[in-house]
Amino acid sequence: MVEQMWRAVGVYRFIALLYAAVIIVRDHPRYAHPTGGLAVLAVMAAWSVLATAAYSRASARRPWLVGADVAVAAALVLATRLVDTAARIDHGAGTLPLCWAAGSVLACAVAGGPWAGVAGAAVLSAADVLERQALPRNTFNGIVLLVIAGTVGGHVVRLVLRAEAALDRAARREAATAERQRIARDIHDSVLQVLALVSTRGRELGGEAAELGRLAGEQETALRSLIALPPTPAPDGRFDVRTLLEPLAGHRVTVSCPAQEVLLPEAAARALAAATGEALDNVRRHAGPDARAWVLLDDEGEAVAVSVRDDGVGFAAGRLTQAAEAGRLGVAQSIVGRVGELGGEAAVTSVPGRGTEVELRVPRNEVARHGR
């Protein structure tokens, strides 16, 4: 798109050159120095060819070239007083370059955006005023048009660049998603099938094979979560917490979520999901080989709550305090700390022989305040 903008500047420059050539050829007998008018036209034609050829190559679009473009246009505007008669100038005759000079303003806008366009317009406006040595209405109108051209042209270029960047990101995401889907299909048809078979047969055989089957089942769940498509944000940039929690389900983990979306800002949603994942890791490590876990997501309106409950061996009161004092800060940092950074609360309740429950609650107003 930017290349097309540069081509448009070149097309404008030659159309304006043709118009200026018609006017100069028509009026040059009335100039104080007729050959001077033709010389100005020759300079305009030569510079149009040179500048258009240079702008066609990205490597040549240097600031000095844009500055030289503005300088040439301003010099040709000022040359009007040397070529034309004072009477014609005083009666409002146009400058020799006419609208051709605006091509340099458009080049500034395309190269540097609105502010560069305004800067180029300011230089040409100053040249117009010096050439007239006054500010009549037609000169003022021309200055306004130059400023508008520089501002609008630069703004359009910025919009084009943003659109190109967004399109490129979308194309990259689409390509990454397609590749991820291809890999997921291959893994599903090979590795996951084998892990599922080992898990099923291991539980059927019992004994040591049952432990192998359990481990294979856990790896199957982890691998399915790994190759699952990444969650996509809602139009307002928030994430549906359900899409982050549902992949945590497995043959010993049940995840229950509401039917409607549960939206939080991305950082908060991922932190809450990470704390939930850490709680499930603790179940796998400490609750016992046969323990099951249940994850419940609840949208309370003003807050989002997640509970992780298991039927494992549990632990005695004060165990977490002793672990923290001993330097084992998994729960304190990975669960309580994560939720606390969001302005939320985390509570861990456990009874020996009756399992453990971790309750996480994140108020939406606190999330918004911490985000700001």
Side-chain angles (χ1 to χ4, degrees):
M1 291 294 291
V2 174
E3 296 298 328
Q4 295 176 359
M5 297 290 290
W6 281 112
R7 284 195 289 271
V9 172
V11 171
Y12 170 85
R13 196 185 296 269
F14 280 101
I15 292 175
L17 175 64
L18 180 61
Y19 173 70
V22 171
I23 301 300
I24 291 175
V25 170
R26 185 196 68 184
D27 293 347
H28 86 280
R30 290 178 281 179
Y31 294 157
H33 302 283
T35 56
L38 297 177
V40 167
L41 179 59
V43 172
M44 291 167 57
W47 183 256
S48 295
V49 173
L50 178 62
T52 303
Y55 287 140
S56 65
R57 302 190 308 273
S59 59
R61 296 169 194 155
R62 304 295 184 185
W64 67 264
L65 177 61
V66 179
D69 198 358
V70 175
V72 169
L76 293 177
V77 169
L78 293 173
T80 302
R81 180 159 288 275
L82 301 176
V83 174
D84 208 349
T85 63
R88 281 174 47 82
I89 293 174
D90 293 341
H91 281 82
T95 61
L96 293 180
L98 295 171
C99 57
W100 179 89
S104 62
V105 176
L106 295 177
C108 289
V110 175
W115 288 111
V118 171
V123 173
L124 287 186
S125 299
D128 274 337
V129 174
L130 288 175
E131 186 270 333
R132 294 289 180 186
Q133 297 184 356
L135 188 60
R137 178 176 297 179
N138 59 345
T139 301
F140 177 78
N141 291 339
I143 291 174
V144 171
L145 290 176
L146 284 175
V147 173
I148 292 175
T151 304
V152 174
H155 182 63
V156 169
V157 170
R158 286 292 175 262
L159 291 179
V160 167
L161 291 175
R162 291 171 186 169
E164 278 191 332
L167 184 61
D168 181 66
R169 289 194 299 269
R172 290 177 182 273
R173 283 198 300 268
E174 184 176 355
T177 300
E179 179 64 13
R180 193 183 186 97
Q181 289 175 337
R182 185 190 66 80
I183 295 174
R185 286 194 298 268
D186 293 342
I187 293 177
H188 181 273
D189 294 339
S190 56
V191 180
L192 289 179
Q193 299 287 359
V194 174
L195 289 175
L197 178 61
V198 172
S199 177
T200 302
R201 292 292 294 159
R203 290 195 298 269
E204 291 175 353
L205 294 174
E208 294 182 356
E211 177 64 14
L212 293 177
R214 182 184 68 81
L215 294 175
E218 290 181 354
Q219 293 304 309
E220 178 192 0
T221 300
L223 189 55
R224 287 186 186 276
S225 300
L226 182 63
I227 65 176
L229 291 178
T232 56
D236 59 1
R238 294 182 296 171
F239 266 71
D240 185 358
V241 182
R242 299 178 306 169
T243 62
L244 299 173
L245 296 185
E246 288 171 349
L248 299 177
H251 74 281
R252 291 197 301 146
V253 178
T254 301
V255 178
S256 300
C257 299
Q260 69 277 8
E261 293 181 327
V262 181
L263 298 176
L264 281 177
E266 179 181 359
R270 293 191 181 279
L272 185 59
T276 304
E278 184 65 23
L280 290 175
D281 286 342
N282 284 338
V283 173
R284 298 186 184 96
R285 289 194 296 264
H286 307 300
D290 300 322
R292 293 183 56 83
W294 294 265
V295 178
L296 175 63
L297 172 64
D298 187 21
D299 189 346
E300 301 175 354
E302 296 181 354
V304 175
V306 177
S307 67
V308 181
R309 180 174 58 86
D310 67 71
D311 59 358
V313 297
F315 54 85
R319 172 77 176 275
L320 293 180
T321 302
Q322 295 174 358
E325 292 175 350
R328 299 190 298 273
L329 303 176
V331 173
Q333 292 184 348
S334 300
I335 299 178
V336 179
R338 274 197 175 103
V339 177
E341 289 177 355
L342 302 175
E345 299 176 347
V348 181
T349 305
S350 184
V351 177
R354 299 181 60 182
T356 303
E357 182 173 7
V358 179
E359 296 181 352
L360 313 174
R361 188 173 185 274
V362 178
R364 281 194 167 93
N365 60 341
E366 289 295 319
V367 169
R369 185 172 65 84
H370 280 68
R372 289 193 297 270

